[in-house]
Structure formats: C-alpha cells, structure tokens
C-alpha cells in the first residue's frame, strides 16, 4: 500500500445526525463522531447493521443534512458553503453504492450514465466528454466499444460496479466513499473490485472511506479502521493493530464472530442492539458487554489510548494486549 500523506484531506468534528422532531420519536443515528482522513489514506468503518455507518457517510457527503458538527474537506467547511462554491466543493467527494444496478438509470446506456455528470458539472465539449467516457471505461477495465452502448440489464454485477466506480471518479474527486461496494458480489469478483479500487487509489491519489461488515475485506484494504456501535465510534486505530490486538470488547466480539476463526475463549455479546431512540446510559455497549461494571452505567467513556498511541478505544476497562480486561470477572450491568 502507498504511504498516506499525513495532511488531513477530511476533518469531521463532533458530527451529529438526529431524525425526528417535536413530538415524534427522535433517533440520534450519529452521535458526536470526530475523525480525520489523510490524503491517500483508506479508513475502514465497521459495525453491525444499525450502528449508523451509512448515515454517517451520507451525512459527511451532504446527502442528508447534519444536525450539528462540522465537515471540512480540503480546507473548505462544507456546512458554510452555498451555491456554486458548495457544488464545486461537493465535486471533490463522490460515492460508490452497494447496489450498482439500482444506482444506474436502467433507461440509459453506460456511456450516457458517465456523460451526464460531465455535461452538468464541467465545460467539456461533446467530443471531449466522449473521450473522457472512453478513458473512464478503460480505467476500470471495460472496453468502451463493447460496454459503452450496453444498458445496466446487459451487465454482470461486477461490470455494473465497475461502471459505478467509473462514474464516481468522473469528476476527478479527492475523496470516494465506498458504502458496502462488494457485499452484493461473488467472492472472486469481490477480489477483482478491491484490486481495482487499490490501483485507482495509487494512480489517481484518491482517499477512501470504506464501509463494510466484512472484516476480512476491511483489513485488506484499510490503513486505519474505525469500529462503530449505536452511532458512536468505540475504537479507531491502525488496521493491523486493531485486528491483532483490539482494545474494545465490541471489536473483540466482532473478530471472534468471523467465520473460520476458532478463538480459544470467544467473547460473546448479550441480547439485541438497543434502540437508538433510547440508548443506554453511560457506555452504549454496556447492556451487551460481558465485561461491564457499575462505572459503565454511570459514566460515558471517552476515546483514549496508550501514551503517544493513535490506537484509541472508548472503554473504561480496555482489553490488554495478549490478555483480558480487568473487568472480565465482573457481573454485567443491565
């Protein structure tokens, strides 16, 4: 993997997204999330269904409006921009969706789907756009003379995702958000798409936020990993550190549940994911955590790590390297 540029491309500060107003049930899908993303870096975001991963990235991109917090992309505070400046800044961040077929217009051939953002967002002439469309298809491994005139229904799942990737990079963005981009594909095709994303990152200098529930894929492609639970980050750090020596019990639970792993003493969660409209007091994971103590119910943990370490966990009793947490013998607090 290329060495990431430490200068932040993206800075997310205390981001909050709440759904529902007035007497309606209010759900805080994203709760006080902060992180930075370096230039050329890939940040993987993992967590079970309902943890808020997709809402987080859609809020970052402005697909849904943030309730509070700031998103600064390449020095521009997106929340403060309006009109043409906002549209210009938004071009720097694009998204690849899970279901490529649904993200493409079934009535349009591939070449029109790729031409449309160029027509709307650039001053290129028709011949220049045609050349750019051909270049994009070649970049993602498709033949312009064959696939350019095809409709989405005439493409395989892998081909459709390649077209979606081509459209995402059409405006030469700096940041690409990948929301479960390979989960709907066969395993062999997944590997091809991951390799394609890695090549494009090197050649085009892209930064990625890669959302997935597949930990093996995230480990392969990510420089850093953030683990999300009930709207909050509970752990973030270097990918190899997080996977080799997790500090938060929830991360350990996710790793122990990976198919094919046979840990000597797997850690198990209790119960179901609590409602985001009424999260537990203190640590949000405490009602399912096998290591919870009284303090976990009374006080919300802050992100912290060892001295001079970028591997952070929001846990009062973090797991020790090569051992268990000091809270392992304690009774779970409901």
């Amino acid at each position: 993997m290329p060495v990431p540029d430490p200068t932040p491309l993206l800075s997310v500060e205390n981001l909050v997204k709440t759904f529902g107003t007035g007497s309606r049930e209010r759900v805080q899908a994203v709760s006080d999330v902060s992180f930075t993303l370096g230039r050329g870096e890939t940040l993987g975001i993992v967590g079970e269904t309902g943890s808020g991963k997709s809402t987080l990235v859609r809020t970052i991109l402005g697909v849904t409006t943030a309730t509070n917090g700031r998103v600064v992309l390449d020095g521009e505070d997106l929340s403060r921009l309006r009109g043409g400046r906002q549209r210009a800044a938004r071009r720097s961040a694009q998204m690849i969706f899970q279901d490529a077929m649904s993200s493409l217009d079934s009535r349009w051939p591939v070449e029109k789907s790729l031409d449309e953002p160029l027509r709307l967002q650039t001053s290129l002439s028709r011949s220049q756009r045609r050349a750019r469309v051909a270049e994009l298809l070649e970049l993602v491994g498709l033949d312009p003379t064959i696939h350019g005139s095809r409709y989405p229904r005439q493409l395989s799942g892998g081909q459709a995702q390649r077209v979606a990737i081509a459209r995402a990079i059409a405006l030469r963005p700096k940041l690409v958000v990948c929301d479960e981009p390979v989960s709907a594909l066969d395993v062999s095709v997944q590997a091809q798409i991951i390799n394609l994303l890695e090549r494009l990152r090197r050649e085009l200098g892209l930064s990625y936020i890669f959302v997935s529930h597949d930990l093996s894929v995230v480990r392969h492609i990510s420089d850093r990993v953030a683990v999300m639970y009930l709207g909050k980050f509970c752990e973030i750090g270097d990918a190899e550190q997080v996977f080799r020596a997790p500090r938060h019990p929830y991360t350990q639970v996710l790793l122990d549940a990976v198919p094919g792993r046979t840990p000597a003493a797997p850690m198990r969660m209790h119960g179901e994911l609590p409602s985001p409209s009424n999260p537990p007091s203190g640590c949000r994971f405490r009602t399912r955590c096998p290591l919870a103590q009284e303090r976990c119910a009374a006080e919300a943990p802050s992100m912290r790590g060892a001295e001079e370490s970028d591997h952070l966990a929001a846990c009062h009793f973090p797991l020790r390297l090569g051992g268990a947490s000091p809270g392992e013998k304690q009774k779970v607090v409901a």
Side-chain angles (χ1 to χ4, degrees):
M1 291 185 180
V3 178
D5 183 338
T7 306
L9 171 69
L10 176 72
S11 178
V12 176
E13 303 172 10
N14 308 114
L15 195 66
V16 174
K17 176 57 185 177
T18 302
F19 294 98
T21 58
S23 60
R24 296 174 57 192
E25 185 179 63
R26 295 173 62 83
V27 175
Q28 196 168 86
V30 177
S31 180
D32 198 27
V33 170
S34 298
F35 68 93
T36 60
L37 178 72
R39 299 171 192 274
E41 182 184 28
T42 296
L43 174 68
I45 300 180
V46 300
E48 62 193 307
T49 300
S51 60
K53 305 185 300 296
S54 292
T55 301
L56 171 62
V57 295
R58 288 169 182 267
T59 305
I60 290 171
L61 292 183
V63 177
T64 180
T65 304
T67 305
N68 204 354
R70 298 173 68 219
V71 176
V72 180
L73 177 63
D74 202 21
E76 295 273 17
D77 186 345
L78 299 185
S79 63
R80 295 179 177 273
L81 300 181
R82 297 291 183 271
R85 289 186 63 197
Q86 184 181 61
R87 288 192 295 273
R90 297 288 183 195
R91 287 174 51 182
S92 296
Q94 299 294 319
M95 192 165 188
I96 301 169
F97 297 92
Q98 177 179 0
D99 189 346
M101 290 292 187
S102 296
S103 71
L104 300 174
D105 194 316
S106 62
R107 302 165 297 174
W108 289 358
V110 166
E111 57 193 5
K112 184 172 182 181
S113 289
L114 297 182
D115 178 74
E116 188 70 1
L118 298 173
R119 184 181 68 83
L120 295 175
Q121 297 285 344
T122 74
S123 58
L124 297 176
S125 66
R126 179 174 296 183
S127 62
Q128 289 173 324
R129 297 201 310 269
R130 189 178 302 116
R132 176 62 175 162
V133 167
E135 178 188 17
L136 289 167
L137 288 172
E138 290 173 351
L139 271 174
V140 299
L142 297 176
D143 188 334
T145 62
I146 296 174
H147 299 98
S149 60
R150 290 185 177 176
Y151 289 82
R153 64 179 179 274
Q154 297 173 305
L155 303 174
S156 67
Q159 290 170 344
Q161 194 59 282
R162 288 174 185 269
V163 172
I165 293 170
R167 188 178 58 183
I169 64 175
L171 299 177
R172 307 182 192 277
K174 298 173 182 177
L175 168 66
V176 175
V177 174
C178 309
D179 190 5
E180 300 275 9
V182 297
S183 62
L185 304 175
D186 294 338
V187 174
S188 60
V189 180
Q190 286 184 10
Q192 295 171 16
I193 297 300
I194 292 298
N195 290 336
L196 170 62
L197 290 171
E198 279 288 87
R199 177 172 63 80
L200 293 175
R201 177 168 75 141
R202 292 192 302 270
E203 294 179 358
L204 305 180
L206 299 171
S207 298
Y208 291 141
I209 296 178
F210 193 94
V211 175
S212 180
H213 64 275
D214 190 328
L215 298 184
S216 61
V217 170
V218 170
R219 184 173 191 173
H220 176 78
I221 198 172
S222 302
D223 298 301
R224 288 189 301 144
V225 172
V227 183
M228 195 167 188
Y229 182 82
L230 210 62
K232 284 180 171 287
F233 279 179
C234 60
E235 183 163 0
I236 187 168
D238 175 81
E240 283 305 311
Q241 289 182 353
V242 170
F243 281 94
R244 185 179 67 252
R247 300 285 285 157
H248 197 282
Y250 179 59
T251 308
Q252 186 67 64
V253 167
L254 294 180
L255 291 173
D256 287 348
V258 172
R261 282 176 58 98
T262 54
M267 189 173 288
R268 306 294 187 192
M269 288 188 294
H270 308 280
E272 300 295 329
L273 187 71
S275 170
S277 64
N278 186 29
S281 63
C283 175
R284 295 190 174 195
F285 184 59
R286 68 173 177 80
T287 57
R288 305 173 76 190
C289 181
L291 309 179
Q293 300 186 50
E294 294 293 340
R295 182 183 177 187
C296 302
E299 178 185 346
S302 59
M303 278 283 192
R304 58 182 180 176
E307 187 176 353
E308 298 182 358
S309 173
D310 292 329
H311 184 180
L312 308 175
C315 183
H316 294 305
F317 308 101
L319 303 177
R320 296 194 301 266
L321 180 62
S325 163
E328 63 182 341
K329 302 296 184 183
Q330 301 297 323
K331 181 180 179 181
V332 175
V333 179

